[in-house]
């Protein structure tokens, strides 16, 4: 299973970017998919997640600005980021959890390689 994040870049404050996460398996096989943000010198933090039913949750810091979605036919997950702020700068990672199908409901965690977002004037 591989995840490939892309779409990062340099954007001015108030601008927008759309990140993509390509999966090597059927995206609907995942229990959930999420995006994490790691600011320079800080720990990685969850910003958005989507479950197998399509329900989403967001960190308070991005509510109303970021939208997570997926294209089931293309096996792509997206993070639409609007009204970007300098504090949104950092590396964004996509993550997905895949059920192993065992009796304990074990989930395997997979991470993409990260894509850098820089918000600066």
């Amino acid at each position: 299973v591989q995840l490939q994040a892309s779409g990062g870049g340099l954007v001015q404050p108030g601008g927008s970017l759309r990140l993509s996460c390509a999966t090597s398996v059927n995206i609907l096989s995942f229990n959930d998919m999420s995006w994490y943000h790691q600011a320079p010198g800080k720990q990685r933090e969850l910003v958005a997640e989507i479950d197998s039913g399509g329900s989403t949750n967001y960190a308070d810091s991005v509510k109303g600005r970021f939208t997570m979605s997926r294209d089931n036919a293309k096996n792509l997950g997206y993070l639409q980021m609007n009204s970007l702020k300098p504090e949104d700068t950092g590396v964004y990672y996509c993550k997905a959890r895949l059920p192993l199908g065992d009796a304990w409901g074990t989930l395997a965690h997979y991470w993409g390689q990260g894509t850098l977002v820089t918000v600066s004037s």
Side-chain angles (χ1 to χ4, degrees), residues 13-34:
S16 298
L17 281 175
R18 188 178 76 163
L19 306 183
S20 299
C21 181
T23 69
S24 62
V25 300
N26 186 338
I27 199 170
L28 293 177
S29 65
F30 291 116
N31 185 78
D32 50 69
M33 178 177 283
S34 50

Side-chain angles (χ1 to χ4, degrees), residues 83-94:
S83 302
L84 282 161
K85 303 176 181 180
E87 52 263 43
D88 296 321
T89 294
V91 179
Y92 285 77
Y93 298 89
C94 59

Side-chain angles (χ1 to χ4, degrees), residues 48-67:
E49 59 186 352
I50 186 168
D51 66 18
S52 57
S55 296
T56 53
N57 285 300
Y58 301 94
D60 289 342
S61 60
V62 307
K63 279 181 182 177
R65 300 188 299 121
F66 290 10
T67 302

Side-chain angles (χ1 to χ4, degrees), residues 4-12 15-22 35-37 66 77-81 84 88-94 113-120:
Q4 181 79 29
S6 63
L10 174 64
V11 62
Q12 292 186 343
S16 298
L17 281 175
R18 188 178 76 163
L19 306 183
S20 299
C21 181
W35 286 95
Y36 283 73
H37 170 227
F66 290 10
Y78 299 108
L79 184 68
Q80 178 66 44
M81 305 188 296
L84 282 161
D88 296 321
T89 294
V91 179
Y92 285 77
Y93 298 89
C94 59
Q113 86 288 3
T115 185
L116 177 64
V117 172
T118 303
V119 184
S120 175

